[in-house]
Amino acid sequence: MATDGKEHGILGLDPGKMGGIGLYTNGNYDGWILTEKKLDICRLIYKLQKQYDIKACYFEKVHASPQMGVSSAFTFGREAGMLYGIILRSGIKIIDVTPQQWQTELGCLTRGNKNVSKTRAQGLFPNKKITHQIADAMLIAKYGWDRYHGVPLSFGKAGKKPNSPSSFSRKSLSLESFDL
């Protein structure tokens, strides 16, 4: 608990077109699909900050791919930059994390196959409806929580066994508790 009585939390942000925002607190978790309306995202961050002491946002460090056209790459970069700015403006510390870092640690190297991370998220968060849009964000938030709290690597080192999904609380946060 934070000194002001709010439970602390970690955000995970997958800034892609099919991305989302994940929240991990002490055993609680939730995720939201990124909308095109940046005002909705600002409101969500504001509401989360009112309810939780957000310690950091682990922001997936992404880049345009060679398959993208010039216009698509520009749009992608602009959207990621706006999200970065929203988080910065909110005063939340941003920690960049590459897909390889969080995927290796959580045992879900996707190599571009989103079903791999969705399946891993379903195992870790069994009481949450997991979509492709929020799976990565929730996993990034879990990765951030573990890093912030010094939890030993689950998959990233040889000989380490994964954390059992049963070791996580099944309590989920409700979006209805936020007046968006």
Side-chain angles (χ1 to χ4, degrees):
M1 282 275 189
T3 55
D4 61 1
K6 293 192 279 187
E7 186 174 17
H8 74 265
I10 298 290
L11 296 178
L13 203 147
D14 172 13
K17 184 176 182 179
M18 298 289 289
I21 298 173
L23 170 71
Y24 197 94
T25 64
N26 192 20
N28 299 322
Y29 45 83
D30 210 339
W32 297 269
I33 295 169
L34 288 177
T35 67
E36 291 183 17
K37 298 177 182 175
K38 298 304 177 252
L39 185 57
D40 290 346
I41 297 167
C42 291
R43 286 180 181 147
L44 173 63
I45 298 301
Y46 175 75
K47 297 289 183 179
L48 290 173
Q49 284 186 297
K50 281 183 73 171
Q51 187 168 349
Y52 299 97
D53 178 19
I54 305 296
K55 297 295 186 183
C57 176
Y58 283 73
F59 197 103
E60 188 173 46
K61 190 174 182 178
V62 292
H63 52 82
S65 69
Q67 296 85 3
M68 289 181 172
V70 173
S71 180
S72 295
F74 178 81
T75 300
F76 179 74
R78 183 184 64 213
E79 292 295 314
M82 280 194 277
L83 291 169
Y84 209 89
I86 289 168
I87 301 298
L88 275 177
R89 177 63 180 97
S90 71
I92 298 171
K93 178 181 179 178
I94 294 178
I95 299 170
D96 291 320
V97 58
T98 66
Q100 294 76 19
Q101 287 173 302
W102 69 262
Q103 289 174 8
T104 298
E105 184 158 334
L106 293 175
C108 57
L109 280 171
T110 66
R111 292 174 178 54
N113 181 353
K114 286 276 212 177
N115 289 323
V116 173
S117 56
K118 182 179 177 186
T119 299
R120 182 67 177 133
Q122 288 169 327
L124 287 173
F125 314 115
N127 289 342
K128 175 72 181 165
K129 182 178 184 321
I130 302 295
T131 66
H132 287 290
Q133 291 171 295
I134 64 169
D136 286 3
M138 290 179 65
L139 290 170
I140 294 165
K142 170 71 172 104
Y143 167 87
W145 179 269
D146 289 353
R147 295 293 50 78
Y148 188 84
H149 291 91
V151 175
L153 295 175
S154 300
F155 282 90
K157 301 281 185 189
K160 293 273 184 179
K161 296 198 184 214
N163 290 327
S164 164
S166 63
S167 68
F168 301 104
S169 169
R170 304 290 196 260
K171 185 178 173 189
S172 182
L173 303 170
S174 170
L175 185 57
E176 287 77 40
S177 64
F178 300 108
D179 297 323
L180 295 179

